[in-house]
Amino acid sequence: MSDQPSADAQARIAELRQQIDDVDARIVELLNERARFSLEIRGLKPQAHLGLYDPKREEEIFARLAEQNRGPLYDENLREIYEAILHVMKEMRG
Amino acid sequence: MSDQPSADAQARIAELRQQIDDVDARIVELLNERARFSLEIRGLKPQAHLGLYDPKREEEIFARLAEQNRGPLYDENLREIYEAILHVMKEMRG
């Protein structure tokens, strides 16, 4: 006897994974776009007489993320992800 | 005497930060979209007779990210960011 509910659930999971892969492709593109802007800013900072690290700007970013967040992720989830993003942007080789 | 190069650099930085904020708004939306798909998959896994944690699927995700990566981020930068994303998706309250 075939296990139809199980087969249906597996098919739906495969479909959802495909949608996640599509989302990930767009996130990768946006992260690279962000990295390009970030590298340009880094190059301009000495000329603008600004320090390379700006904790105020980081707090602004976290506040804006929370403001834009409609869930289901919690603000602290976004903060965890963005700590990794900002860490990478800071350590990036130009 | 005004410091025109510095003022120009500061104006350009402000513009780039605005572009980064726009990118971040799109990333936040995509992360929440990804979270919804992920929660639906989690709900289906018992019915599909699949374990909740699937290291093979994680490796597939990392491989696909590297394949789609056009830089300037390095593959290992994307991996660092996605370790945080996948960690959050796993720990998320449903």
Side-chain angles (χ1 to χ4, degrees):
Chain A
M1 199 178 90
S2 81
D3 181 357
Q4 195 54 46
S6 166
D8 289 348
Q10 284 169 20
R12 178 66 183 146
I13 287 172
E15 199 173 86
L16 288 161
R17 284 181 165 174
Q18 179 59 56
Q19 288 177 288
I20 285 178
D21 292 343
D22 294 346
V23 166
D24 283 342
R26 291 157 68 199
I27 291 176
V28 166
E29 229 173 274
L30 288 169
L31 288 171
N32 275 312
E33 203 174 321
R34 194 187 200 289
R36 279 190 295 273
F37 294 140
S38 196
L39 286 170
E40 189 178 342
I41 289 176
R42 196 198 291 174
L44 288 166
K45 277 184 167 178
Q47 194 180 330
H49 308 309
L50 291 173
L52 284 186
Y53 175 58
D54 182 352
K56 204 175 124 271
R57 168 67 180 159
E58 293 212 347
E59 284 311 315
E60 273 171 27
I61 289 171
F62 290 134
R64 185 169 291 108
L65 296 175
E67 206 180 285
Q68 288 162 340
N69 184 25
R70 298 287 167 270
L73 291 174
Y74 288 81
D75 294 349
E76 72 249 33
N77 298 144
L78 287 177
R79 191 174 176 116
E80 180 178 336
I81 293 168
Y82 263 78
E83 274 166 3
I85 292 176
L86 297 181
H87 178 254
V88 156
M89 299 284 156
K90 251 187 319 226
E91 301 296 317
M92 195 166 42
R93 287 160 285 178
Chain B
M1 200 177 89
S2 81
D3 181 357
Q4 195 54 47
S6 166
D8 289 350
Q10 283 168 19
R12 178 67 183 143
I13 287 172
E15 198 173 87
L16 289 161
R17 283 181 166 173
Q18 179 58 57
Q19 288 178 288
I20 285 176
D21 292 343
D22 294 346
V23 166
D24 284 342
R26 292 156 69 199
I27 291 175
V28 166
E29 228 173 274
L30 288 169
L31 288 171
N32 274 312
E33 202 175 322
R34 193 188 200 289
R36 280 190 294 273
F37 294 141
S38 196
L39 285 170
E40 188 177 343
I41 288 175
R42 195 199 290 175
L44 288 166
K45 276 183 166 179
Q47 194 181 330
H49 308 309
L50 290 173
L52 284 186
Y53 176 59
D54 182 351
K56 205 175 123 270
R57 168 67 180 158
E58 292 213 346
E59 283 311 315
E60 274 171 26
I61 289 172
F62 291 134
R64 185 169 291 108
L65 296 175
E67 206 180 285
Q68 288 161 339
N69 183 26
R70 297 288 166 271
L73 290 174
Y74 288 80
D75 294 350
E76 73 249 33
N77 297 144
L78 287 177
R79 192 175 175 115
E80 181 178 335
I81 294 168
Y82 262 78
E83 274 167 3
I85 293 176
L86 297 181
H87 178 255
V88 157
M89 299 284 156
K90 252 186 319 222
E91 300 297 317
M92 196 167 41
R93 287 161 284 178

